[in-house]
Amino acid sequence: MTADSEIELKEAFQRAQRGHNNKAKLVASLKSRYNKLEDKTLFHEEFVHYLKYAMIVYKREPAVENVIEFVAKFATSFQPPPNAENEHDHPFLSFIFNFLLESHKASSHAVRFRACQLINKLLGGMAENAQIDDDLFDRIHQAMLVRVTDKFPNVRIQAALAMTRLQQPKDPDCPTINAYMLILENDSNAEVRRAVLSCIAMSPRTLPKVLKRTRDIKENVRKLAYQQKVLSEKVHIKALTIAQRVGLLQQGLHDTSESVRDIVCSRLLPAWLLRLDGNVIELLHRLDVENCAETAMETLKAIFKTMPAEELLQNRAQLDDRKVIPEDSLTCENVLYWRSLCEFLKGKGDDGEEMLEQVLPDAASYGDYLFGYLKAVPVLTEEQRADFNQLELVMTKEFISQQLIHLIGCLDTNEEGGRKRVLVVLQEMLALTQTPSSLVSLLTEKLLALIPDDQRRIQTVAEIISDVREPIMEASQPVDENRSRRQQVQLAEVKVRLMEAKQDLEDCIAAQDFSRAAELKDAIAGLEDQRNQVLQEISESSQPVDREALAEKNDPETLLRCLTMCAELLKQMNIKTRTGPTISALMSSLVLPSIANAHPAVRNMAVVCLGTCTLHSKELAKTHMVLLLQIAQLDEVKIRISALRAIIDLLLLFGFQLLSETASTQTVQPPLSPDRQEGEATPAEDKGSIPEDTAQSILVMLSEFLDSEMSDLRTETAEGLAKLMYTGRISSAKMLSRLVLLWYNPVTEDDVRLRHCLGVFFQLYARESRAHQEVVEETFLPTIRTLLNAPATSPLAEVDINNVVELLVELTRPSGLIKPSANTEEVCVHDYLAVRMCGEMLKDPTAPEVRLYAKTLSNLELSREETVRDDLTTLLQQLVLVVKDRVCLRALEKMLHQLVDSKEQAVVNASALQPLDVNADEAATEDPSKSTKRPKRGQRKASTAKGGRRPSRKAESSEESDGENVPESVPVVRSSRRAKIAALEKTKLDLNPLINQEANVS
């Protein structure tokens, strides 16, 4: 190769570093030079020689990136046309691939990174239908499979991207796809997971893994999963199951990150609508709205927000002239759309009022429309219920009825006539026996919402319950014609005799025969009584129909309907409204007798009513508390949970003073005394005997429920205890320790509600007050001991103790309080925790957990209180003498030096505040042993402790690396844009000096 060609190749690499150069012209010029050469070997060697300068740079410098881009374009320019007869790769392209494949095993992570990056760009720069040699394909494949397990994330990212075109989705054993799925599941770096997510091919095998990334811990990964490059564009809505569609929307619309929610609304939903030609009703059909109504409504709300006002009313064509959907056209999808649209427009306030009038009739008209549809809902017999088609039809009609009832909340009920008509309709529907039981609660809720006064509510519901349990029925009686004829003849005889007696009486009076007249008068009175009796008999026998009240109906369905109305009434009542005679009558005649009913659903609703009613009366709560406790331990799981909820609510409202007359001295008050905390929970073997203290017996019961194999009962108990502790009704270190262990227990891994509840509770509880942090601090050692002593067969043996320690340390951090103390001299919780850990280490310096405690000491935020620091220093000095483990010893010595240095610095700071004393300076000069450079190091530690936070890793590394005195940070004036650009240009890497230096040496 001539000197001119060397200069031209060198010049090409120099010019390629500058981003403003036209890479295409540079590639064409160098390619022309290459094609003229007969011997390409020297060119290959020198090309690689200059390429190596860029490959040894790991940082993403602009100059290096430009060179890599230039090399990729130059190499792919030799790719043969797709229809070329010669299918072999170009020599230069093969040479570059061979060089990169040899370099991917280099010890330098920079070389491995650049090699994978170049392979990625070479494969990506080839034509869509390009072909490479099978042997080269296999070599690239094997090399990248090795590199996706590299130690450095950037290398793994480039290797994963390089394998994009090596995937074979139709091959069930494709190594690339297997590697991708393994990375998505196990790679700890979020950027690596994002890279794989962006390039993985969609198939039935990979789709579940991609869907799982919508629940990734990192926001950027979740965003990419929802974006067009992945789910929105690559996956058709028909390729997803109903459960997957609902899950995507439910998770995306409730994501904690606003940007993820925006991606779902702006990317995923429009992409799905585009595939369905913009038909929103068809989208609802794909979601199965009967089983996920809430998710469907949230989806519609997100769609409505992006629609203009004119487009919102386009589907109004489904409404007729009455502004309602015809009864024969009602479906689950269009009625849910109608309800969502009305609620969305009502939520806009005055802005949506005019549009709401166009899609919803007046209250009276809607009441008649609702009544007509609800009366048409069929009631199935037991035989018809066995027919799945008929059952499905009735369930669909009930769902439609529920949505129509919900629409009552959107009506304008300010007009008196319309409101009264709706009230009448609701009352009639509740009184009808053919109204489905599933609609009773919703009908009662809408009825009570229209009645503002609690007393009217009570009276109205009580009347409906009375009509349901004691209906007035019409009973017909047959008429006996012979008896009626005899009665008529008897009546005629009595009338004749009565007329004769009256005539004789007049004659006797005229003849002044008064004795005879008195006898006739008595006879006339008797005949009149006889006549009235016959008339009454004739009246009764001639009455064909008589109205009579039947006995109370006590069948399970009737009782359940009545109890449901009663429960809804008690729930809607103001908590300050006391129970009156009507409620007491309902309790004695309906609720309490139903507690012993054989039907579980009736018993459960009766327990709900009892628990809700006791919230309105403390005396009633005292009376029935024991009954609720018995139900919570003896009945079925669902009923036990209802009783447990009632007990927790009563304790939250009234406290443990409710339990007995002596509760004032025995109840658990926040905070508890240490003696009380130690004796709060009794061992499991004592559960057979009833404790004297009722409060303690309840805690024992709750503690036993935490060990229950029934997950629902266990979760409800944990949530109840969390509420009681957060509100200060109980303060128990042992109970908190149980909750921490339950949260980490692998047995509860699938209990999402339990994990979420406790995760939120721990943070809120510890940040609330210093007293709560003290309780957490008391749980530290018992919790760690339980985990350390857990047998190998216990699920707790799988718990990572380091993770538990980190959690408890973070929860007790003084700076984590909502209102942290401004006094840095005050003793904090971490001070006590440090002393406890030191005492634990002194008990057995050779125990395995000593290393854990020693490591934890360095993560604590210690106060500047001198007494505590002196005690801690003494303990650390004793530990240094007895601990033999080197790792522990180094950690303890470091902690000891920090305490000593901070103490000396505090003395220096205190002396600096005193007036200048010349004699003191002279005395210090005479004693050189007192002047040391150690206070400088302690000064940095003191400034760190002043903020109440532990030193950052960067600060620690700077202290360990050198002994320079780092000045305090001062406010920096913001640089201008031009100054920033100039500073950025100075920091850019330039490969030209390296290339020129190499040329001069050669």
Side-chain angles (χ1 to χ4, degrees), residues 10 89 92-93 116 118 184 227 231 249 260 266 363 371 414 431 459 478 480 527 583 595 828 848 857 911 966:
K10 175 182 175 181
D89 297 327
F92 181 79
L93 193 59
C116 294
L118 263 174
L184 286 178
Q227 285 179 355
L231 288 175
L249 292 175
V260 176
S266 61
F371 186 69
N414 294 325
Q459 189 65 31
D480 189 350
L527 290 172
I583 295 294
I595 293 288
C828 65
L857 283 174
S911 61
V966 181

Side-chain angles (χ1 to χ4, degrees), residues 305-369:
K305 286 181 179 179
T306 60
M307 282 187 179
E310 299 78 11
E311 192 174 350
L312 280 174
L313 302 177
Q314 282 184 356
N315 286 338
R316 196 179 43 166
Q318 297 180 353
L319 304 178
D320 58 14
D321 297 337
R322 299 175 297 166
K323 301 178 185 177
V324 295
I325 302 176
E327 294 181 5
D328 55 350
S329 301
L330 281 169
T331 63
C332 296
E333 289 78 22
N334 61 20
V335 73
L336 188 70
Y337 182 91
W338 187 23
R339 173 196 168 188
S340 301
L341 179 61
C342 293
E343 290 183 355
F344 177 76
L345 294 176
K346 188 174 180 64
K348 296 179 71 174
D350 296 338
D351 298 336
E353 184 176 354
E354 183 177 351
M355 289 190 291
L356 184 61
E357 293 177 356
Q358 302 180 38
V359 296
L360 200 62
D362 60 274
S365 301
Y366 186 80
D368 296 334
Y369 169 76

Side-chain angles (χ1 to χ4, degrees), residues 190-261:
E191 294 302 318
V192 179
R193 299 196 298 273
R194 287 187 77 246
V196 173
L197 203 57
S198 66
C199 61
I200 190 172
M202 289 298 171
S203 68
R205 289 180 60 216
T206 60
L207 183 58
K209 304 295 183 183
V210 174
L211 291 176
K212 194 172 182 180
R213 288 308 101 203
T214 59
R215 304 187 298 273
D216 196 278
I217 192 174
K218 292 296 182 180
E219 174 186 339
N220 290 336
V221 180
R222 301 197 302 272
K223 283 174 59 178
L224 182 62
Y226 281 110
Q227 285 179 355
Q228 291 182 353
K229 293 181 179 179
V230 187
L231 288 175
S232 302
E233 184 178 278
K234 293 183 180 180
V235 182
H236 197 285
I237 185 174
K238 294 181 180 180
L240 300 169
T241 64
I242 292 176
Q244 289 172 339
R245 297 170 199 157
V246 173
L248 280 175
L249 292 175
Q250 193 170 9
Q251 295 155 15
L253 295 174
H254 291 92
D255 197 279
T256 55
S257 170
E258 184 178 357
S259 59
V260 176
R261 298 195 297 269

